Amino acid sequence: MATFLQHMESTTGLSFAFNTAVRPNKSDLNIYLREGVKDVIYNVLRFSPASADLFAVESISLQNADNFKVDSGVVLEVMRERVVDEWRPCRQVPVSKQYLVTDVDSFEYASDYNPVYIRDDNNTIKVFPVMASSTFGFKVRYIDFTRYDSDDFSLTHDTDLESPGIKGFPTMFIPHLIQYGAIKALTEYYHYSLREDEDIELAAGYLGTLKEMKDNYNSMFLTKDVISQPKQQQPQPRGGR
């Protein structure tokens, strides 16, 4: 068991203080951890799109509730509830057809048996037909860039990456996350050293190390077998985001 801070100290050989002018500091590590979650997920999807299920979460929204927004923009599946627990897959249509899906005389008309969804430029999901009753809803499977650990505490430099771990983030990608954080930390220290100490020789040494680390980071997504059985999802309560 080790925190993100401990991993960063071990990997980079740097010491991190809090609220200090020396960079990087612990506040920087908080940012690196949250950004790292996004970067790792994006790289996994880029090199292995089939692995999206590893990061998928599922939320249910009441049909008449506020529109559902997917911050990441990565929507895997949308389903609409026709009757209790009968979920019909929705096909995506362009925003330009929003009126047509409500027109009974249109070939694009959306029915209870053939529902559709629209995603606007704000990544907000709208499902048609809209039900008259708020009893039923729709559910979305999507990629979430979590900001919490598995105990629902915010991710910080003190987050233990093994226990409780990062919510919805498979442990097989913790090495990727550590490598990302180390690259960011050493890059910041390189700029700090160059600016404050004007040590050109030391800075040059860090440049060589950083190039090697970046190459290694990229290769981790090319060589890692990230394809596995999709994880089991626990649906959130209705109205959950």
Side-chain angles (χ1 to χ4, degrees), residues 25-233:
N25 53 40
K26 290 183 179 179
S27 295
D28 293 320
L29 293 188
N30 296 342
I31 297 172
Y32 300 160
L33 178 55
R34 294 165 186 170
E35 288 182 342
V37 169
K38 295 180 181 181
D39 196 79
V40 170
I41 292 175
Y42 272 136
N43 274 292
V44 171
L45 296 182
R46 181 159 63 101
F47 290 112
S48 180
S51 298
D53 275 338
L54 293 172
F55 304 98
V57 296
E58 182 179 287
S59 291
I60 297 177
S61 176
L62 294 179
Q63 183 74 36
N64 291 340
D66 293 337
N67 291 319
F68 190 91
K69 182 179 179 182
V70 178
D71 291 328
S72 71
V74 184
V75 178
L76 303 179
E77 189 175 15
V78 179
M79 291 160 280
R80 179 183 180 275
E81 196 173 22
R82 192 185 74 84
V83 295
V84 177
D85 290 333
E86 182 185 315
W87 297 96
R88 295 279 173 166
C90 299
R91 59 186 172 88
Q92 184 178 7
V93 297
V95 176
S96 61
K97 295 184 177 181
Q98 182 167 341
Y99 169 73
L100 294 177
V101 300
T102 65
D103 183 357
V104 294
D105 295 322
S106 170
F107 286 114
E108 300 293 339
Y109 179 68
S111 69
D112 286 347
Y113 294 93
N114 186 32
V116 303
Y117 78 95
I118 290 172
R119 181 174 65 178
D120 63 21
D121 57 4
N122 196 36
N123 290 320
T124 297
I125 305 298
K126 296 180 181 179
V127 174
F128 299 92
V130 176
M131 288 185 171
S133 171
S134 61
T135 303
F136 304 109
F138 63 90
K139 58 184 177 180
V140 183
R141 292 183 65 250
Y142 61 102
I143 301 297
D144 181 35
F145 297 139
T146 182
R147 296 175 62 88
Y148 303 96
D149 67 16
S150 294
D151 288 337
D152 286 326
F153 289 102
S154 295
L155 295 179
T156 71
H157 59 276
D158 282 331
T159 297
D160 191 312
L161 300 184
E162 284 77 35
S163 179
I166 300 174
K167 189 173 186 178
F169 193 85
T171 56
M172 65 187 295
F173 296 109
I174 293 300
H176 303 62
L177 186 60
I178 293 171
Q179 185 77 352
Y180 174 89
I183 291 170
K184 296 292 287 187
L186 286 175
T187 299
E188 182 62 45
Y189 188 71
Y190 159 76
H191 289 296
Y192 174 81
S193 298
L194 196 60
R195 181 175 62 252
E196 300 297 326
D197 300 332
E198 298 183 353
D199 192 332
I200 304 299
E201 184 176 349
L202 176 64
Y206 276 113
L207 277 181
T209 299
L210 282 169
K211 183 183 183 306
E212 183 178 344
M213 292 178 70
K214 289 176 181 178
D215 290 343
N216 182 53
Y217 178 66
N218 290 330
S219 69
M220 293 172 79
F221 297 99
L222 294 172
T223 59
K224 186 74 174 181
D225 181 12
V226 297
I227 305 296
S228 68
Q229 294 296 320
K231 63 180 181 180
Q232 296 296 318
Q233 297 298 324

